[in-house]
Amino acid sequence: MKIICKNCETSHYSSFNYCPQCSQKANLHRINSHEVFHEAVHYFTHADKGIFQLIRDLTLKSGIVAKEYINGKRKKYFPPLNFFLLIAAIFVFISNIPKEVPPIDIQKENQELNSISNPAQKEKMIHLYERKEKMLHFIKKYSNLMAMMALPLTAFFFWLFYRKENYNYTEHLVAGMYMLGFCILINTLLILPISLLFHLSSNYSTVLFLLFQLLYFTVFYYKFLNKNTKLQFAKAFTVSALGIIFWGIVSGFTVNAYISSGFWGIV
């Protein structure tokens, strides 16, 4: 006896548990709260490709995850784009938790403003300092977002230096989603809480994040490209460092341009 799949309308035998065309379950029942909750839990914890297994593998195997996914083991791992967007959602949720930010008295914090006698010049300098404070607040609150924005540039850097490895730009982008997503997850759930616990300044937490990022990038690409020599490890370290430094220059230039001119229209 044959039945019709309700998803793709393919005919198959009723003895089949899943549709051979689209893999949807053959025996469906009405949607209820238990069904929705079960599917959500299953999506994140499925033994073959759950996100917790992915985090474990990115911790223990790092670049091997991306290598196997790109080379065909797509069902084994949680999808890279889903992982990257989920990390972004977690970060946005955490960063939007209301926090008390005490108002800053620009003139009190910058005593040199009192020595400026020209009103127009003084007002101009006050606006400059206001933009600086807004930008510093933005960087502090959205540091992970800025790191995420580095993904296309990071992928381009690794593609540029490893063109002979026969991975195209999109495949380096996939590797970057796993690599950068994991770094941002560690920064959100480990480095930032430790910094808050020990009352470290934002500068220290940034340095810790950059050092971890540099080390993880190096190990990730060393394993991703299946290299086994000290020279190749040194190359992975150099390319990782150059990518991070170049992004720092680009973002730093953007920040300074905003502080100097306020080109985003925020005064």
Side-chain angles (χ1 to χ4, degrees), residues 9-254:
E9 299 183 354
T10 298
S11 174
H12 62 83
Y13 290 102
S14 59
S15 59
F16 289 0
N17 292 325
Y18 297 90
C19 171
Q21 181 67 26
C22 68
S23 300
Q24 178 170 279
K25 286 184 179 180
N27 296 320
L28 296 175
H29 47 76
R30 293 189 66 177
I31 294 177
N32 54 38
S33 57
H34 176 269
E35 176 77 10
V36 173
F37 179 75
H38 174 76
E39 287 296 328
V41 172
H42 180 81
Y43 180 69
F44 290 109
T45 61
H46 192 277
D48 290 339
K49 56 177 182 179
I51 189 170
F52 298 115
Q53 179 191 325
L54 173 63
I55 293 171
R56 183 201 67 187
D57 290 339
L58 287 173
T59 302
L60 301 177
K61 301 195 296 183
S62 59
I64 295 175
V65 173
K67 181 180 179 65
E68 290 186 345
Y69 184 87
I70 290 170
N71 289 340
K73 293 186 177 181
R74 309 289 165 80
K75 287 288 185 181
K76 184 177 179 180
Y77 297 110
F78 197 81
L81 182 58
N82 293 24
F83 173 65
F84 194 73
L85 293 178
L86 180 62
I87 297 303
I90 292 173
F91 165 67
V92 169
F93 173 77
I94 293 175
S95 63
N96 280 285
I97 296 175
K99 300 182 181 75
E100 288 292 332
V101 180
I104 297 175
D105 189 328
I106 297 296
Q107 296 195 54
K108 185 178 180 180
E109 292 291 327
N110 302 276
Q111 295 293 330
E112 64 273 16
L113 291 172
N114 296 325
S115 62
I116 301 176
S117 57
N118 187 317
Q121 181 66 22
K122 185 174 182 177
E123 184 179 1
K124 181 180 178 181
M125 291 300 297
I126 289 174
H127 288 327
L128 187 147
Y129 281 116
E130 286 176 346
R131 290 196 297 270
K132 180 179 178 180
E133 288 298 330
K134 289 179 181 179
M135 182 53 66
L136 290 175
H137 175 70
F138 178 87
I139 293 173
K140 184 177 180 180
K141 185 176 181 181
Y142 297 108
S143 57
N144 282 338
L145 179 61
M146 295 183 68
M148 287 181 171
M149 292 169 61
L151 175 62
L153 182 62
T154 300
F156 174 77
F157 238 83
F158 281 103
W159 170 81
L160 186 65
F161 282 89
Y162 287 108
R163 282 176 294 175
K164 294 182 181 179
E165 299 296 334
N166 295 321
Y167 286 118
N168 60 37
Y169 173 74
T170 303
E171 289 167 333
H172 282 284
L173 198 63
V174 166
M177 289 178 191
Y178 280 135
M179 180 175 69
L180 194 56
F182 181 77
C183 288
I184 293 169
L185 180 66
I186 295 299
N187 187 48
T188 303
L189 301 182
L190 189 62
I191 295 177
L192 291 179
I194 288 176
S195 299
L196 291 173
L197 180 64
F198 291 98
H199 305 289
L200 300 178
S201 71
S202 58
N203 291 334
Y204 282 112
S205 60
T206 300
V207 170
L208 284 174
F209 174 59
L210 291 176
L211 288 176
F212 173 77
Q213 192 177 27
L214 175 59
L215 178 62
Y216 191 77
F217 277 22
T218 301
V219 174
F220 188 98
Y221 256 81
Y222 184 69
K223 291 185 177 181
F224 173 57
L225 298 173
N226 197 27
K227 301 301 182 182
N228 54 12
T229 66
K230 292 182 179 179
L231 182 61
Q232 288 297 332
F233 186 87
K235 181 179 179 180
F237 178 86
T238 303
V239 175
S240 299
L242 288 174
I244 293 171
I245 291 171
F246 188 71
W247 174 246
I249 293 172
V250 171
S251 56
F253 175 80
T254 305

